[in-house]
Amino acid sequence: MKKVEIMDEYFDSHQGKITSSEICSIVRTVFDLDLETKPILGEMSSSENKARMAIDYSLAQYEKGVSGAEIRKLINQIFGINLDAVSSLDGSRISLFSKDQWINRQDRDLFVVHTGPGDVDVMIYPTDFFIERTGLKELPEDLKQALINLGFYYDNEVGHYYYADAHKNAVPDAFKGQTIGAILKVIRQSYQNL
């Protein structure tokens, strides 16, 4: 089962109105993410009370119960964490480091998508597993070209393919999706049996 399906089962089995504490607990259980330590979009600091207050405020907009999909949308709006996208990475062989922690990582992953603070920049690089299995110490040529086509460039300072928004805005979900899509295409075409 995908993580979003597990999350939905939690919410479907819940009786009565759900609280911010319960949402934070379910997200921690299913995704291993502590929302209470994450800053709210547009704010630099985080606190347990702010996180819960923001969730409670958003929940108050719903007269009836709220679905798992609606809660995930609220979490993305409040914290900039797209749980649907995170769940889609299950089994993808792509590790994701974002919000100052590993969001998705398995021993046999091939590539890392690493976002910086505020998601204003993204680095892509091979995992140790990929390097050991292929002997390549850098990204394969077809992936480099796909990333260049999206606006990435090789940054000598960080030693990886890098993208940053020119206006220091968070990289949009659509761009992240295109990036993940490019990586998945290369995995399917060349490294599925690795």
Side-chain angles (χ1 to χ4, degrees):
M1 268 182 113
K2 289 191 171 204
K3 290 177 182 171
V4 290
E5 294 169 334
I6 296 167
M7 183 181 184
D8 286 346
E9 282 196 6
Y10 273 107
F11 291 128
D12 291 346
S13 66
H14 187 272
Q15 301 295 318
K17 276 201 147 192
I18 194 147
T19 66
S20 58
S21 296
E22 292 164 324
I23 289 172
C24 290
S25 175
I26 290 167
V27 169
R28 189 177 308 112
T29 300
V30 176
F31 289 91
D32 196 28
L33 283 169
D34 187 355
L35 294 177
E36 295 169 306
T37 64
K38 303 299 173 221
I40 295 166
L41 282 180
E43 295 187 19
M44 296 308 290
S45 63
S46 59
S47 83
E48 186 175 304
N49 288 339
K50 279 187 185 177
R52 287 186 187 171
M53 286 172 47
I55 294 170
D56 283 333
Y57 176 79
S58 296
L59 289 174
Q61 312 305 312
Y62 293 87
E63 292 179 20
K64 300 180 192 171
V66 60
S67 70
E70 291 166 323
I71 290 171
R72 287 189 295 280
K73 184 177 178 184
L74 293 176
I75 289 169
N76 197 15
Q77 291 169 344
I78 296 168
F79 302 100
I81 300 172
N82 186 335
L83 295 177
D84 288 313
V86 170
S87 179
S88 72
L89 290 176
D90 289 345
S92 68
R93 305 198 64 197
I94 299 172
S95 294
L96 174 63
F97 186 89
S98 183
K99 311 296 184 217
D100 295 324
Q101 75 177 68
W102 288 104
I103 305 288
N104 188 65
R105 183 169 69 165
Q106 304 297 317
D107 292 338
R108 296 174 49 86
D109 286 348
L110 302 175
F111 303 105
V112 176
V113 175
H114 186 286
T115 65
D119 285 351
V120 298
D121 60 354
V122 184
M123 288 185 296
I124 311 293
Y125 53 91
T127 63
D128 290 340
F129 177 82
F130 178 86
I131 293 168
E132 289 169 15
R133 288 300 185 100
T134 65
L136 295 172
K137 293 186 178 176
E138 55 186 43
L139 297 177
E141 290 302 320
D142 49 352
L143 181 52
K144 288 179 188 178
Q145 192 56 55
L147 293 174
I148 289 168
N149 292 344
L150 290 171
F152 283 82
Y153 64 93
Y154 186 79
D155 187 315
N156 289 318
E157 194 172 310
V158 297
H160 303 300
Y161 274 78
Y162 181 81
Y163 175 88
D165 181 83
H167 305 291
K168 300 206 186 287
N169 295 321
V171 176
D173 284 346
F175 181 81
K176 292 175 192 172
Q178 289 176 308
T179 302
I180 299 290
I183 298 168
L184 287 172
K185 183 177 179 183
V186 169
I187 290 172
R188 276 194 302 273
Q189 288 177 343
S190 305
Y191 300 103
Q192 199 160 358
N193 297 321
L194 195 61

